[in-house]
Each structure stands twice: as structure tokens, then as C-alpha cells.
């Protein structure tokens, strides 16, 4: 009982429910290991007792983080303060550029709480009980999003506040005397409260009986910005999109070109790409864009070298010509000789070219822009560049470096900064050049009339040996990896090899690392997609050396994580899309929708799972989502319609049943969808026409109320190969395939844009302009 109580206090689950009718106990050894990773000693009963006493003796006047949503009632932690308490808010000293005048930090806000007026008793007949407040799409406002066993009291209180805020005010808790100055009438904000500006601040409380407490205060807008109108766009893995100018893989020049063409020619509103995070160097490099070295900084392998202003002033043209010839040979091998995309070979050529580029002196204006970038990025960029420089000398796994270099704040690292100054500057320069081209891609999208632009992808974690884990060692849980518990599709569970952030460290540092990450990813984005968005609420931690079945859930302060996300998206003016596929904890989708985070709906999964299991009619889909036919982890639409994905998995030994059984179920599933499309008159060509069926699928998506409709770019040319096949490593060339046509022949960006098949498909999605005759030609 003591271990369970201790685990609950620290947000560690001692059981979980893989399905509504089943509960699985977590091994005690797992709970003890996870607590140890959080700095809590529970190795013996006596250790448990001491840790429990320490945890329960902490002051509870304020939780570690307090969230205040604009236009909503104060959280219980503030609304229930003793009358006469002194409350002081220290606004954050820094924020977006221009937020505060230089040298003049914002003045603290001081206020004194007063007793709340008693709420009048309201009696309703049973038939007229107050309805649950609806969130977006009519979903009920979130309440407690996890069991008490899975949440620390502070986190549970924060999560429960979502329900308090939605309902107006809890009975007898903080009922307002009058709206605060500037607060909309009826928001339930007491008159004594002075709303701070949006930001992450520090709040200090002193009660009349001299108790004191301090906490992080997140003042956030109520919702993230929304797309201005319904629109469609392409989903693409950038490396797979080679043009005639690519150096063996797609680059940021190709992204800008695709966005400009799609916006101007097709009226598309966005292009969503895979994570462009910095990869861990070495041969072979992990090709997965979802296991990067750093999520904060981009990978310079995506640079279009010729587009760098200094490129035209390189004097060593002979070396440059040789590099371009080698790059052309790489592209030729991928496009015409059946070779896979070789990221390592591409990077080697680009690295040599970039070494020549940085020798060209910057013009005064370019030098000033680079200096501004260095100042804006600060210590994190310097740490990242130093890690890259040290990796060139000692290898990409910092755990194997000389001990004096394993801590970025130790004297050895300080000496290395000086000794490797040129290489540190080289990697800083590459980060700047990449950021410039990311900005250019978004400008190209906006200039082409795209309402959203480039949608960037945020991976769920980072490589354990990479730059982020070296530079932020205290923020990551040592000896732990993120994964997924066993489920109906994978009885062994999953271990993704990504170390998780420590929720206690995030809270103690005011979510600094999380905020910096979001700001960096939102800087040049029209919207942000968050992979496995459920990780804002809880993550499955797997102790090192143990199978995923021996993991457990660890809760995060979802209210705080959401508030920071909403705050930074609001500052950047960007929408947010959450990948909420798979097993999703009850209440999570509702909480995300309430804050304006769009979900992800994939056609083949949209069935009435709680009813008859049949496909959901288009009008019953949620509006607040990105609707697609497939994703990078799923079969292409052509492969789904033909059953090719089943035979592929059979060849690789991935099926758990016989091929006949799998094919029978797959054909039945597909036939149900095709029958629905036919009943809705979306398949006028009839059965047996794969290309027509792909168009029908997208007609269906357009019929839904979804704000965003995503078209998998390989679907436009009939590609049948998945970009990634979960459950495989060397058995399948994950993340290394160029976009190909239905016969498996790679196609370039130029060929894709000229494809009759693409234009026939996009005609389905093209915005229709009203056909109104000029006034003089209208019929009476």
C-alpha cells in the first residue's frame, strides 16, 4: 500500500487498463525503477516510508504549476486562497522580440485576495439538470483524465481544473464578486485578481497566517489559432521528393517549390512534412526522422546548397563541379537504377560543399543577421554546435566520450569550446542557413496564397546518445525509454528507444526546455503536427533492459503542457495538429479539442467501434481534425485497396495469422468502405478501377466537415510502397524510398506535378469558384 501511495504522489501508475474490461498490475520492480529515475528512493520498505513522509510533508498551498486560462474562472488553487492573502506575480522577463523595452523588466503585479461571495443556491428539477459544458464539436469538457493511481495530487488537481474552468465555478469555490478589470462579464474571475499578460511567470503567495508558497504561473489564451477556412494540402516525406536539382534526396528548395506550385496551381492550403530535426551523425545514420539527435535544431542535410547566397562566390569551382557531378550520380542511381536514398552519402557531399561555402566572407548585412541569430538562440545553439564538433572527434555517442567531456558545463567542455571554435562556428552557421531556408519555404507557401503553409512535425522524443540528451541531461529520465504497452495489435508492446522528459524537472524549471523547443519549431511554421500528442498527458516508460510489457504509465501535468503549447502557438499565430491515433486515454481528445488542437482522423480507422463497427458516415466525422486516407506508417491507398500491404507483410513474416485469413479480413474491410462510397454515389466508375477508387476515397474525405484534408503525395501517382513499415528494421528499407508510380518507378517532383493521375485526383479537391455571369449577361 505504501508503494502504491508513493507512486500515486509522483504520477506513476501501478496498474493500467488495455481495454475497458481489463486491468493489468504493474510489477513492483518497474514501479521502483521508475521512481528511482524520478529521484525517489523506494528500494526497501524503509525507503518507501521515508520517501512517503517527505512527499506528504511538502506544502500544498500551491501546486508546482498554476494555469490561468484567458476568460475562464481562476483555478481552485487561487480561488480558494484564504481571504487577505497577498499575491504577487512576477511577469517573465523575456518573451517574443519586442515584448518588453530593453533594460526595463516588467513590474510585478500585486493583489490581495478577498473572501468569495456565497454562491446562490439553485435548485433544478432532475430533468433540467445542468448539462455538461460542451467543448469543440460538442464533446464534453474534460474532467479528471486519469485515475488517482496514475496521477500525483498536483497533476490530478491541474487536470481536474479543466472541468472546473469549463463549468463556470465549482459549488462554493471562488464564486466571483465581480469580473476583474478587462475580463469578459460572466467569466467567473474575482475582482481582486489582476490578469497578468500571456506568459510563464512566477507567482508568490503569503497568507494571513504567514504561510508562503511560490509556483510557476502560466497565463495562456483559451485556444490555439484555427485555420481561417477549410482547406486541403499534401502530406510528404521530404527526403522522398527528389527534383532534377536535388542532391540524392529531397531538400528545402524542393519543399518551397512544391508549396509554391500547389498553392498557385491547385489552391492547396498547406504542405505537411516529416520532422526535419537534426539527425545523429555517423555511418550508417539512423534514417528515421522520428529518432533525432535534437528536436530543437534542424538538419543541414536538407539545405539546397545552390540557394545559399555565398555559393555563387566560391572560388574553388573545380571542386564544386566535382561535388555536383557526384550528387547528380546519387540522384541518377535513386531515380533510374533502383538505389535507395543514401542520406550518409548525400550529407558527405553537402558537408564538403558547405565547407567551401563558409569560407566565403559574409556581407555586412548577412553578418549582422547571423549575429542576431546567434544572440536569439543563445546557449542552446552553442551547446548543440559543440556536441556536433565533439561528435566529429569522439563519435556520436556522448556516453563513450572522455569523462571530462560528458558534461557540457564541466571545465573540459569549456576548453573544448575554445579548442574547437572553428568547428563550433561551422555548425552554428549551418543551423542559421537551414533556418533561413525554412523561413524561405514558409514565405513561398504564403506568397502562393496558402492559408496555412508548411506544417512541421514534432517527433515524440530524441535519440539517447544525441545532442539534446547531452545538453539537457537533468531533464531526461536516465535508464528509461518511451514506448507503448501491449495491445490487441502488438502483444509484446513497443520500446521506441527514446528517453522521456522528467515531469518534475519540467515543472521545476518552468517548462523552459519545452517552451524553447516549441518556439524553435513554430518559428517558421504555418502549423505544427505533434506526433503521439497523448504524450502531453502520459507516456509509457520502459526501464532499460526490460521488455515493454514491464513498463508503466507516468503522468505529466497535462494542464501545464497544454497551456504552454497554446501560449507558444498563439504567439506564433499557428495552428496545431495532434496525432491522436491508437489507444487514447478517455478525456484526452476532449481536452485537446477544447484548447483548439486539431486531431487526426484516418479513413480506414473511422468506424463505430462502440456500436456496429461499420464505417462512420462522412457527416458524423469531427470537424476539428486533419482527415486523411493514410499516413507515413500505413499502407498507401492503392496498396490498401488492392491488398498489396497484406502480401508485403506476409513476405516479411509479419502476419500473426495465415495469409488467407488476413486477406479475407482485408477484402471484407475494403469492400465495406467501397460499398459505402458506392451508396453515396462517390464511385461513378464502378468496381475494379483502382485509380477511380482513390478519387472516391478523397471525395469522401471532402464530404466530411474536417477543417483540413490531407492528400498523401505518393497517392497522387499510385505509389504502393509504404515509407515505413512498423515492426521492421533491416527487413524493409524504411525511410529510404523515393516516391514512385504504380509500377514502382521513381518519379521526380517535375514528373509528379505533370502527372495526369495527380491532376485527375486533385480536380476532386480543387476549390470551386461560383459560376456567376456578369450582370449584363444574367438571365431575367
Amino acid at each position: 500500500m505504501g508503494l502504491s501511495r508513493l507512486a500515486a504522489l509522483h504520477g506513476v501508475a501501478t496498474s493500467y487498463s488495455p481495454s475497458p474490461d481489463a486491468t493489468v498490475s504493474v510489477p513492483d520492480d518497474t514501479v521502483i525503477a521508475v521512481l528511482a529515475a524520478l529521484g525517489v528512493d523506494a528500494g526497501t520498505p524503509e525507503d518507501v516510508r521515508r520517501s512517503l513522509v517527505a512527499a506528504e510533508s511538502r506544502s500544498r498551498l500551491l501546486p508546482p504549476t498554476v494555469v490561468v486560462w484567458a476568460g475562464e474562472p481562476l483555478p481552485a488553487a487561487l480561488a480558494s486562497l484564504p481571504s487577505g492573502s497577498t499575491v504577487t506575480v512576477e511577469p517573465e522577463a523575456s518573451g517574443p522580440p519586442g515584448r518588453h523595452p530593453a533594460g526595463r523588466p516588467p513590474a510585478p503585479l500585486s493583489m490581495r485576495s478577498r473572501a468569495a461571495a456565497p454562491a446562490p443556491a439553485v435548485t433544478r428539477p432532475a430533468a433540467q439538470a445542468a448539462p455538461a459544458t460542451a467543448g469543440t464539436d460538442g464533446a464534453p469538457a474534460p474532467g479528471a483524465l486519469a485515475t488517482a493511481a496514475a496521477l500525483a495530487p498536483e497533476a490530478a488537481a491541474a487536470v481536474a481544473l479543466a472541468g472546473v474552468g469549463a463549468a463556470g465555478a465549482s459549488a462554493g469555490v471562488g464564486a466571483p464578486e465581480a469580473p476583474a478589470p478587462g475580463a469578459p462579464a460572466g467569466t467567473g474571475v474575482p475582482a481582486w485578481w489582476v490578469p497578468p499578460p500571456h506568459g510563464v511567470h512566477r507567482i508568490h503567495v503569503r497568507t494571513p497566517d504567514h504561510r508562503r508558497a511560490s509556483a510557476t504561473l502560466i497565463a495562456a489564451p483559451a485556444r490555439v489559432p484555427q485555420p481561417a477556412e477549410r482547406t486541403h494540402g499534401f502530406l510528404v516525406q521530404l527526403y522522398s521528393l527528389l527534383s532534377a536539382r536535388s542532391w540524392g534526396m529531397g531538400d528545402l528548395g524542393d519543399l518551397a517549390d512544391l508549396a509554391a506550385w500547389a498553392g498557385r496551381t491547385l489552391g492547396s492550403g498547406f504542405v505537411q512534412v516529416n520532422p526535419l530535426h537534426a539527425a545523429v551523425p555517423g555511418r550508417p545514420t539512423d534514417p528515421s526522422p522520428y529518432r533525432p539527435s535534437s528536436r530543437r535544431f534542424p538538419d543541414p542535410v536538407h539545405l539546397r546548397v545552390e540557394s545559399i547566397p555565398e555559393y555563387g562566390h566560391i572560388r574553388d569551382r573545380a571542386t564544386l563541379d566535382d561535388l555536383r557531378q557526384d550528387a547528380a550520380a546519387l540522384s541518377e542511381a535513386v531515380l533510374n537504377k533502383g538505389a535507395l536514398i543514401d542520406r550518409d552519402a548525400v550529407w558527405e557531399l553537402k558537408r564538403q560543399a558547405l565547407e567551401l561555402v563558409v569560407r566565403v566572407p559574409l556581407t555586412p548585412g548577412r553578418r549582422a543577421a547571423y549575429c542576431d541569430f546567434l544572440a536569439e538562440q543563445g546557449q542552446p545553439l552553442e551547446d548543440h554546435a559543440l556536441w556536433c564538433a565533439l561528435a566529429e572527434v569522439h563519435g556520436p555517442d556522448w556516453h563513450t566520450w572522455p569523462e571530462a567531456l560528458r558534461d557540457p558545463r564541466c571545465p573540459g567542455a569549456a576548453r573544448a569550446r575554445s579548442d574547437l571554435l572553428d568547428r563550433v562556428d561551422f555548425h552554428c552557421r549551418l543551423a542559421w542557413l537551414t533556418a533561413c531556408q525554412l523561413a524561405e519555404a514558409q514565405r513561398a507557401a504564403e506568397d502562393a496564397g496558402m492559408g496555412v503553409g508548411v506544417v512541421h512535425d514534432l517527433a515524440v522524443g530524441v535519440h539517447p546518445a544525441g545532442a539534446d540528451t547531452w545538453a539537457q541531461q537533468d531533464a531526461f529520465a536516465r535508464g528509461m525509454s518511451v514506448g507503448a504497452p501491449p495491445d490487441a495489435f502488438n502483444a509484446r508492446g513497443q520500446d521506441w528507444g527514446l528517453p522521456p522528459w522528467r515531469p518534475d524537472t519540467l515543472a521545476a524549471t518552468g517548462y523552459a526546455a519545452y517552451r524553447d523547443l516549441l518556439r524553435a519549431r513554430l518559428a517558421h511554421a504555418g502549423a505544427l503536427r505533434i506526433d503521439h500528442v497523448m504524450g502531453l498527458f502520459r507516456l509509457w516508460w520502459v526501464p532499460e533492459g526490460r521488455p515493454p510489457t514491464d513498463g508503466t504509465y507516468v503522468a505529466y501535468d497535462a494542464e501545464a503542457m497544454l497551456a504552454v503549447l497554446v501560449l507558444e502557438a498563439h504567439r506564433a499565430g499557428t495552428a496545431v495538429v495532434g496525432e491522436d491515433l491508437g489507444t487514447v486515454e478517455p478525456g484526452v481528445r476532449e481536452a485537446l479539442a477544447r484548447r483548439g488542437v486539431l486531431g487526426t482522423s484516418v479513413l480506414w480507422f473511422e468506424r463505430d467501434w462502440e456500436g456496429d463497427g461499420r464505417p462512420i458516415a462522412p457527416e458524423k466525422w469531427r470537424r476539428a481534425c486533419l482527415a486523411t486516407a493514410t499516413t507515413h506508417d500505413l499502407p498507401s491507398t492503392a496498396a490498401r485497396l488492392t491488398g498489396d500491404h497484406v502480401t508485403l507483410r506476409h513476405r516479411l513474416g509479419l502476419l500473426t495469422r495465415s495469409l488467407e485469413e488476413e486477406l479475407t479480413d482485408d477484402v471484407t474491410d475494403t469492400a465495406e468502405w467501397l460499398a459505402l462510397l458506392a451508396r453515396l454515389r462517390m464511385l461513378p466508375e464502378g468496381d475494379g478501377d483502382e485509380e477511380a477508387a482513390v478519387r472516391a476515397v478523397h471525395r469522401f474525405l471532402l464530404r466530411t466537415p474536417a477543417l483540413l484534408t490531407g492528400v498523401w503525395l505518393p497517392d497522387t501517382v499510385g505509389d504502393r510502397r509504404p515509407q515505413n513499415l512498423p515492426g521492421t528494421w533491416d527487413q524493409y528499407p524504411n525511410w529510404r524510398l523515393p516516391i514512385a508510380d504504380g509500377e514502382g518507378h521513381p518519379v521526380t517532383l517535375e514528373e509528379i506535378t505533370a502527372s495526369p493521375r495527380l491532376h485527375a485526383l486533385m480536380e476532386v479537391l480543387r476549390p470551386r469558384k461560383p459560376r456567376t455571369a456578369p450582370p449584363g449577361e444574367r438571365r431575367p
Side-chain angles (χ1 to χ4, degrees):
M1 188 64 183
L3 182 61
S4 296
R5 173 62 180 160
L6 183 63
L9 288 171
H10 293 280
V12 180
T14 54
S15 66
Y16 67 96
S17 297
S19 61
D21 58 347
T23 299
V24 178
S25 295
V26 175
D28 285 353
D29 287 350
T30 295
V31 175
I32 292 170
V34 170
L35 285 171
L38 292 170
V40 181
D41 191 356
T44 67
E46 180 60 25
D47 294 332
V48 170
R49 188 192 67 78
R50 283 197 298 267
S51 297
L52 198 54
V53 169
E56 292 180 330
S57 64
R58 294 174 189 156
S59 170
R60 300 299 181 193
L61 183 59
L62 287 180
T65 305
V66 178
V67 175
V68 175
W69 298 101
E72 297 184 12
L74 289 186
L78 297 179
S80 61
L81 286 173
S83 181
S85 296
T86 300
V87 180
T88 304
V89 175
E90 294 181 19
E92 60 180 341
S94 61
R99 184 175 176 84
H100 301 304
R104 293 178 56 192
L109 303 175
S110 296
M111 56 203 92
R112 187 179 296 276
S113 67
R114 293 196 294 275
V122 177
T123 302
R124 294 186 181 92
Q128 298 178 359
T133 301
T136 303
D137 304 329
L145 300 180
T147 62
L151 286 172
E154 296 91 340
V159 172
L161 290 178
V164 173
S170 300
V173 178
E177 302 169 32
T187 59
V189 180
W192 62 264
W193 175 253
V194 180
H198 295 327
V200 179
H201 318 298
R202 290 296 293 174
I203 185 169
H204 309 281
V205 171
R206 187 179 73 247
T207 64
D209 59 356
H210 306 297
R211 288 183 296 154
R212 296 174 181 266
S214 297
T216 295
L217 174 68
I218 305 175
R223 290 165 59 84
V224 300
Q226 300 293 289
E229 58 185 0
R230 291 188 68 200
T231 188
H232 66 81
F234 288 120
L235 319 177
V236 63
Q237 299 282 290
L238 182 57
Y239 59 83
S240 70
L241 182 67
L242 281 74
S243 70
R245 299 184 181 183
S246 303
W247 284 31
M249 62 182 282
D251 59 38
L252 291 171
D254 296 322
L255 174 59
D257 207 33
L258 174 65
W261 170 79
R264 296 178 188 280
T265 305
L266 304 175
S268 299
F270 65 92
V271 174
Q272 177 183 300
V273 295
N274 56 284
L276 304 182
H277 309 321
V280 176
R283 282 183 174 268
T285 299
D286 187 339
S288 172
Y290 291 91
R291 204 163 180 252
S293 168
S294 173
R295 293 191 293 172
R296 173 162 177 170
F297 295 100
D299 198 318
V301 75
H302 299 112
L303 281 167
R304 169 68 62 83
V305 179
E306 297 93 328
S307 296
I308 300 172
E310 289 72 39
Y311 175 87
H313 300 278
I314 294 175
R315 294 187 176 183
D316 189 352
R317 307 306 296 184
T319 299
L320 198 57
D321 288 343
D322 289 342
L323 292 173
R324 292 186 62 181
Q325 288 181 9
D326 291 343
L330 279 179
S331 289
E332 173 69 14
V334 171
L335 293 171
N336 298 311
K337 298 181 179 179
L340 299 174
I341 293 171
D342 188 342
R343 183 197 175 283
D344 296 329
V346 173
W347 172 238
E348 180 57 28
L349 294 179
K350 288 192 176 182
R351 183 194 61 77
Q352 294 180 54
L354 291 167
E355 298 278 6
L356 299 176
V357 166
V358 299
R359 294 178 191 171
V360 177
L362 295 172
T363 64
R366 294 271 291 166
R367 169 62 62 181
Y370 178 45
C371 290
D372 282 350
F373 178 79
L374 294 176
E376 290 167 2
Q377 300 300 317
Q379 189 69 52
L381 174 60
E382 186 177 336
D383 288 342
H384 175 73
L386 178 58
W387 182 91
C388 293
L390 289 170
E392 293 176 335
V393 178
H394 301 288
D397 186 349
W398 62 267
H399 299 92
T400 66
W401 292 355
E403 191 167 349
L405 300 174
R406 295 179 193 170
D407 182 348
R409 304 293 169 254
C410 68
R415 288 192 295 272
R417 293 176 198 271
S418 176
D419 296 341
L420 299 172
L421 186 61
D422 288 346
R423 298 310 297 170
V424 171
D425 182 68
F426 174 72
H427 290 290
C428 286
R429 182 85 68 92
L430 297 192
W432 173 57
L433 294 174
T434 311
C436 289
Q437 291 196 4
L438 286 168
E440 289 163 7
Q442 176 61 14
R443 278 197 297 272
E446 293 172 347
D447 291 346
M450 284 190 165
V452 177
V454 180
V455 182
H456 285 284
D457 200 348
L458 178 64
V460 71
V462 293
H463 196 287
D468 281 2
T469 57
W470 178 73
Q472 304 171 18
Q473 293 177 39
D474 292 342
F476 291 92
R478 298 183 183 181
M480 294 291 145
S481 176
V482 173
D487 56 31
F489 302 99
N490 193 329
R492 292 174 294 183
Q494 300 177 55
D495 183 345
W496 302 331
L498 308 170
W501 264 339
R502 287 180 53 163
D504 57 331
T505 302
L506 287 176
T509 56
Y511 296 85
Y514 178 46
R515 297 171 64 203
D516 289 346
L517 170 61
L518 290 175
R519 284 191 184 182
R521 295 282 55 81
L522 291 166
H524 309 300
L528 181 68
R529 174 190 182 270
I530 300 181
D531 192 42
H532 193 71
V533 71
M534 297 82 79
L536 300 181
F537 296 76
R538 65 177 185 178
L539 284 171
W540 183 259
W541 286 22
V542 181
E544 190 176 71
R546 299 186 187 183
T549 51
D550 285 354
T552 190
Y553 280 114
V554 175
Y556 290 75
D557 187 338
E559 193 82 338
M561 298 290 279
L562 273 176
V564 172
L565 174 63
V566 172
L567 171 66
E568 295 303 335
H570 175 80
R571 285 174 167 173
T574 57
V576 177
V577 178
E579 187 268 298
D580 56 352
L581 303 174
T583 302
V584 183
E585 186 182 8
V588 167
R589 286 195 176 103
E590 292 80 6
L592 292 169
R594 182 162 183 251
R595 297 305 167 197
V597 177
L598 306 182
T600 301
S601 293
V602 177
L603 180 132
W604 311 102
F605 300 155
E606 290 297 307
R607 290 176 171 271
D608 182 9
W609 298 112
E610 297 181 0
D612 57 16
R614 293 181 179 178
I616 297 176
E619 64 273 10
K620 294 184 178 179
W621 282 41
R622 54 182 171 172
R623 182 173 185 271
C625 76
L626 165 66
T628 73
T630 189
T631 72
H632 58 267
D633 283 333
L634 296 172
S636 69
T637 305
R640 174 81 67 172
L641 291 167
T642 59
D644 283 3
H645 68 109
V646 177
T647 55
L648 172 61
R649 290 165 55 221
H650 172 67
R651 289 200 304 271
L652 297 175
L654 299 177
L655 298 183
T656 58
R657 300 182 298 168
S658 70
L659 175 60
E660 292 73 19
E661 289 177 296
E662 292 279 355
L663 282 174
T664 297
D665 281 357
D666 186 69
V667 168
T668 301
D669 181 89
T670 302
E672 271 196 291
W673 278 103
L674 291 176
L676 175 60
L677 296 175
R679 287 197 303 273
L680 295 173
R681 299 183 179 182
M682 295 180 180
L683 192 54
E685 299 87 349
D687 296 337
D689 187 333
E690 170 207 306
E691 188 175 340
V694 172
R695 290 197 296 271
V697 163
H698 288 84
R699 287 190 186 101
F700 181 96
L701 294 177
L702 196 64
R703 181 81 66 87
T704 74
L707 276 173
L708 304 178
T709 301
V711 180
W712 179 236
L713 189 59
D715 273 350
T716 65
V717 289
D719 197 345
R720 299 190 179 191
R721 306 172 304 174
Q723 281 294 316
N724 177 52
L725 192 58
T728 63
W729 183 249
D730 293 331
Q731 308 97 310
Y732 186 80
N734 296 319
W735 317 114
R736 290 173 286 174
L737 292 172
I739 296 176
D741 61 20
E743 302 300 321
H745 302 308
V747 288
T748 63
L749 172 60
E750 292 82 0
E751 292 169 329
I752 292 171
T753 59
S755 166
R757 177 165 178 158
L758 177 144
H759 285 277
L761 172 59
M762 297 311 294
E763 189 65 27
V764 171
L765 297 164
R766 188 187 302 274
R768 305 294 179 185
K769 295 182 180 179
R771 297 182 178 180
T772 303
E777 298 181 13
R778 293 177 185 171
R779 293 180 181 179

